[in-house]
Each structure stands twice: as structure tokens, then as C-alpha cells.
Amino acid sequence: MYILLNDIKKYLNKTVILQGWIFNVRSSGSIYFLQFRDGTGEIQAVVSKKEVDKKSWETCESLTIESSIELAGRVYKEKRSPYGYEMQVNNIKLISLAQEYPLGKKAHGIEFLMDHRHLWVRSQRQAAILKIRDEIIYAIRTLLKNKGFILTDAPIFTPTSCEETTTLFKTKYFNKTAYLSQSGQLYLEALIYSLGKVYDFGPTFRAEKSKTRRHLTEFWMMDAEAAFVDHNENMKLQEQLVIYIIQQILKNRKRELKILERDILPLEKIKTPFEKITYDEIIQKLQKKGVKIKWGDDFGSDEETTISNMYHNPVFIEKYPAKTKAFYMKPDPDNPKLVLNNDLLAPEGYGEIIGGSQRIDDLNTLKQKIKEFKIDRKPLEWYIDLRRYGSVPHSGFGLGIERTVGWLCGLKHIREAIPFPRLINRLRP
Ligand code: 4AD
Ligand code: MG
């Protein structure tokens, strides 16, 4: 019977068939130890010359790393094995003999690994990251669905920008120009009038011209948007979402975190409520630490790292100067120079994982802001319409999936948080 390794517990001491790949081979004359994986797990398969037929033994002797095979044998518990189980093989069928595998056991430089990303994803470490990524996405969808949010989609080809115009990717769209979406937010704002609470999940694009460990040019964002939700309620939801993601990872992906050698103590210690600090306060704190920053500046990567290292919990930075942020954010009624927004910064130096805000709901304020920001109003008429027909207070936020993966996995660079990273100098494979 064909089985998957994640079901192995059900088949102990039974003879089964596994299909997968050899990732390491050791031999001591009349015994071979095959390190085998099938995508759902790993096992050591033991092949003894005296237990298999001649053909199986010859196949075994010819095996190369990354060859695909079918193994038949008895599976049993083995405490000494890192996988907990072993298989005593009685038959081997070769599916495809691999050529000499370029990713050997020796350490490779990052550019070499990135050039071979299509093979690198097979490694135990990369697979662990991708499984945690899956768990994070599943946690987001579960929590939001439980809270009554409807998953709905925003377009990728858009006529205008949502965030900074300097990072727009421009593309030909028949005889017109289109821009690749930077965030689905504006479209979600339209959909709240139909569905109340909505979220999207999809690729977003930014022509980030600098090389940092936090920026991709193509990344996945989850935007959430809800009617009748104010700035504080918006932050509450972000907090609930982040703590839920952490709980699920700790519950379901301990093994993968261990493979990554992620110290889980800092994650286990995270508690709600997350502290809220205003932009004004954080500027003062940074200045006291000797950081050269003045009121009105946005944070660069270095400042974000500094702030992020100051806290053990994720921390909300709220109420930024209106000028540093996007046009759609609602002015703070107590100080119209500020907006009712927040960033959520992850600890351990990881920095921003979420950006959110309450949105302008008043027609004239929005028109005025578009004017002040010198934004072309024509492609935004539909968005302005939303304030003409039953406008309501509403808020939302966007969570960067790869930033979250990077933090929770403890990665040094965001390029490992996505299967095929797109960076300023990388479009392949
Ligand atoms: O803070 P941002 O720019 O917010 C928005 O786009 C809003 N429209 C979202 C909303 O309110 N619905 O981006 C949201 C998040 C950031 O906090 C960060 O996690 C991630 O997207 N992000 C990036 N991740 C990887 N590479 C990049 N170049 C990123 N730029 C933003
Ligand atoms: Mg942001």
C-alpha cells in the first residue's frame, strides 16, 4: 500500500510503499542507509544486501542524491533516528536516476543558492520555512473567517497608485498604461459597502530600489478592511491576528522551528496587549538614544531596527505626521497635522510587519487631501464616489506575509520567506 510519511504512525510494523527522493546515502558494505523524503516527512531506510533481491541491491548501489524512488518495506519506531522511525526495505524501484546534484553538502554562497532556488527549495530548512509560511496564511484565514470577514480579491492591474508613486511598476496595457498593485486596499474600501468586513490576499508589487533585508519587489499582502471600525478597534484586530498566528505556529510547527534553530522563547513570551506609542514619543526616544532624526521624518530601515530592538513584544507606533503617510488616512481630530494610523513593529530587530489606518470618510476632506498631495484625481473618481454614496467610518490594515514569515522563522533575510524571491537584482529562476 502507498502511504505518506505524515501518516506513518498508522502503519507501524506493516509493509508499505513510499514514493519520494533520496537526499543522502551512507553505506557500510552490505548495508545502505538511505535518507528519504516524500514532501510530508523524512525517514531513514535501511537496505540490507541479504534482505533484498539482486535487482534492488544493484539499484541501491547506483543511487545518487536526489534520485526519485519507490521503496517497499516494513516501517517501525526507532528512537535513535532523528525522524523517530525507520524502514527495513525489501524492494527498491528506481523512478529517475539524478545526475550529479549541484547542491552538495558543502556550504554554498548565497548567489549560487539563489541561482539554484528551484533546487534549494528541496532542502529541509527551506521546506520548514515554506511550511511555516503556509501555517501563517492558514491562521490568518481562519481567524478572519471566524470574525466574519469575507475573502475577496482586488485587481493586480490598476490605473493608479495606492501607496508611494515612486515605487510603482508601470506596464503597457494595450494602448494605455497600467500599474501593478501596491495594495488591494482601495478596492477593499469599495467592497465593505457590499460585504461589511473583507480581506484580500495576493501578490503586491513595489519597485524598491534599495537593497535591504526587508524588501522584496513582489510580496504577498493580506489587506483587511471593515466598516464601522475606528482606529483603536483596528489595532485591536491586528493584535488579535498576530497573537493568533504566533499561537498556531507554536502549536503546529514546533518541529519546523527546531529545524530552523529558531529560539522560541521570545515568541512564547509575547503577550497582549501590545504597547501603543505615538510617533511623537518614539521620535523623542530615538533622539535620546542619539539617533539623528527630526519630527516629520519617516523611519528608515535603521531606525526601525532600533525601535524594534527596544521591545520584547510587537509594538504599535501610531499617529504619524500626515505628510509622511498616504493620502487616504483620516486626520486626527485632536491634531490635524497627524493621522489616525499605525505601524505594527515586530520585536528582535524585525521591524514593520503591518501598516494600517482609519480612512478619510468625509468627501471634502478627501478631495482636499488629494489636491494637497498633488495626486491626479481622475483615476481616483471611483474611490471618491465611495464618500458620495453612504460613506461610513472605516479602517483597515495590510500585513506583509514575508515580513511575518521572516520574523517568526528568525530569518536573516526576507529572500528565504517566499518560494521564488523577486529583488532589485533578481528575476530568476
Ligand atoms: O505599510 P504598507 O505600505 O501599507 C499599505 O500598503 C496599506 N495600503 C495596507 C492597508 O492598509 N490595507 O504595506 C503593508 C505591509 C508592510 O507593513 C510590510 O509588512 C509589507 O506590507 N511590505 C513589504 N514587504 C516586503 N517587501 C516590501 N517591499 C514591502 N513593502 C511593504
Ligand atoms: Mg508601511
Side-chain angles (χ1 to χ4, degrees):
M1 182 182 359
Y2 290 98
I3 68 155
L4 291 172
L5 281 170
N6 66 354
D7 283 336
I8 195 167
K9 278 193 195 114
K10 290 190 227 156
Y11 300 97
L12 290 183
N13 302 315
K14 298 218 164 74
T15 295
V16 296
I17 303 171
L18 298 172
Q19 293 176 308
W21 300 266
I22 297 296
F23 63 92
N24 213 345
V25 185
R26 259 185 326 116
S27 131
S28 66
S30 57
I31 299 186
Y32 271 85
F33 299 96
L34 310 178
Q35 310 299 314
F36 173 94
R37 68 160 198 281
D38 72 351
T40 72
E42 289 127 4
I43 195 169
Q44 171 161 280
V46 184
V47 190
S48 311
K49 192 171 180 180
K50 60 179 189 322
E51 308 255 344
V52 295
D53 60 26
K54 194 162 170 257
K55 190 155 178 261
S56 289
W57 184 251
E58 279 168 11
T59 304
C60 189
E61 286 182 312
S62 74
L63 283 179
T64 50
I65 286 176
E66 288 305 316
S67 291
S68 45
I69 57 168
E70 216 174 85
L71 294 174
R74 189 177 61 87
V75 288
Y76 51 91
K77 244 195 179 130
E78 175 53 74
K79 268 201 235 118
R80 288 168 302 177
S81 156
Y83 318 116
Y85 304 93
E86 265 184 10
M87 173 186 252
Q88 181 70 48
V89 176
N90 54 39
N91 195 274
I92 304 180
K93 208 167 105 192
L94 183 68
I95 300 170
S96 172
L97 191 69
Q99 297 182 18
E100 195 180 341
Y101 195 56
L103 303 186
K105 270 174 274 173
K106 67 171 190 301
H108 296 288
I110 186 65
E111 287 310 313
F112 182 85
L113 289 171
M114 292 284 277
D115 285 342
H116 293 85
R117 183 68 180 165
H118 52 296
L119 303 178
W120 188 23
V121 288
R122 300 181 186 191
S123 75
Q124 200 189 31
R125 178 184 157 82
Q126 297 308 315
I129 296 169
L130 296 180
K131 285 180 183 173
I132 292 174
R133 180 187 167 102
D134 162 73
E135 195 73 41
I136 291 170
I137 295 167
Y138 188 67
I140 292 172
R141 297 175 85 128
T142 307
L143 184 101
L144 290 176
K145 182 151 180 87
N146 288 344
K147 289 196 168 289
F149 280 73
I150 304 288
L151 176 66
T152 177
D153 303 304
I156 303 288
F157 286 129
T158 64
T160 181
S161 79
C162 177
E163 302 296 317
E164 277 172 274
T165 50
T166 53
T167 62
L168 276 176
F169 271 114
K170 204 168 157 175
T171 177
K172 234 178 88 177
Y173 191 76
F174 304 105
N175 57 356
K176 292 198 175 67
T177 297
Y179 304 97
L180 300 186
S181 176
Q182 296 172 305
S183 157
Q185 177 200 323
L186 304 186
Y187 294 94
L188 289 194
E189 285 188 61
L191 289 161
I192 59 166
Y193 294 83
S194 162
L195 301 166
K197 296 197 271 187
V198 293
Y199 72 107
D200 66 18
F201 178 58
T204 45
F205 306 86
R206 295 191 194 182
E208 305 282 1
K209 280 148 204 124
S210 56
K211 286 191 204 170
T212 79
R213 63 191 170 91
R214 296 199 176 98
H215 289 91
L216 294 161
T217 54
E218 178 180 306
F219 60 99
W220 285 67
M221 200 194 298
M222 186 285 305
D223 296 281
E225 196 72 30
F228 306 106
V229 162
D230 69 14
H231 170 56
N232 282 313
E233 292 161 336
N234 192 34
M235 286 193 285
K236 186 90 219 151
L237 178 64
Q238 294 167 43
E239 185 181 280
Q240 287 168 341
L241 182 63
V242 170
I243 201 77
Y244 183 71
I245 295 171
I246 296 171
Q247 285 164 354
Q248 292 307 106
I249 297 301
L250 290 174
K251 190 167 123 209
N252 302 326
R253 291 295 175 193
K254 273 244 164 73
R255 179 166 181 260
E256 284 73 19
L257 291 167
K258 197 158 171 216
I259 290 169
L260 299 173
E261 297 175 8
R262 172 59 158 118
D263 177 8
I264 59 172
L265 215 67
L267 298 179
E268 284 172 338
K269 279 189 184 156
I270 290 175
K271 289 216 165 55
T272 55
F274 301 159
E275 205 174 326
K276 290 175 190 158
I277 318 232
T278 62
Y279 172 89
D280 287 11
E281 287 164 343
I282 206 75
I283 288 288
Q284 284 173 22
K285 279 191 193 216
L286 285 173
Q287 287 171 340
K288 268 198 197 130
K289 275 183 167 280
V291 177
K292 285 201 176 56
I293 190 163
K294 55 180 193 312
W295 197 94
D297 291 347
D298 203 355
F299 305 120
S301 267
D302 291 346
E303 288 91 37
E304 251 185 60
T305 306
T306 308
I307 301 168
S308 166
N309 277 323
M310 284 155 60
Y311 298 90
H312 297 300
N313 262 342
V315 59
F316 288 112
I317 314 288
E318 57 169 341
K319 301 188 179 173
Y320 284 60
K323 284 211 171 79
T324 65
K325 289 286 167 185
F327 72 95
Y328 50 70
M329 294 184 181
K330 189 178 172 75
D332 179 1
D334 297 332
N335 179 355
K337 278 208 172 93
L338 308 178
V339 280
L340 295 179
N341 81 312
N342 77 270
D343 282 349
L344 181 67
L345 271 55
E348 299 178 80
Y350 281 93
E352 181 188 337
I353 55 167
I354 292 183
S357 67
Q358 185 162 349
R359 324 300 191 188
I360 294 173
D361 48 60
D362 175 65
L363 177 63
N364 288 327
T365 314
L366 182 64
K367 282 190 195 159
Q368 181 58 30
K369 199 78 180 278
I370 289 173
K371 210 175 189 174
E372 275 170 33
F373 274 56
K374 299 196 172 69
I375 296 169
D376 182 12
R377 194 173 127 174
K378 228 164 119 206
L380 277 176
E381 270 314 319
W382 68 272
Y383 181 74
I384 300 170
D385 254 0
L386 306 177
R387 280 74 186 167
R388 292 191 179 104
Y389 307 108
S391 185
V392 292
H394 63 287
S395 305
F397 63 90
L399 174 143
I401 296 296
E402 292 77 15
R403 296 267 182 98
T404 311
V405 172
W407 164 43
L408 295 176
C409 291
L411 306 181
K412 290 201 182 76
H413 196 292
I414 197 165
R415 63 187 161 222
E416 284 182 76
I418 183 165
F420 294 97
R422 297 290 172 250
L423 300 155
I424 184 168
N425 56 355
R426 177 147 313 262
L427 188 59
R428 281 186 294 179

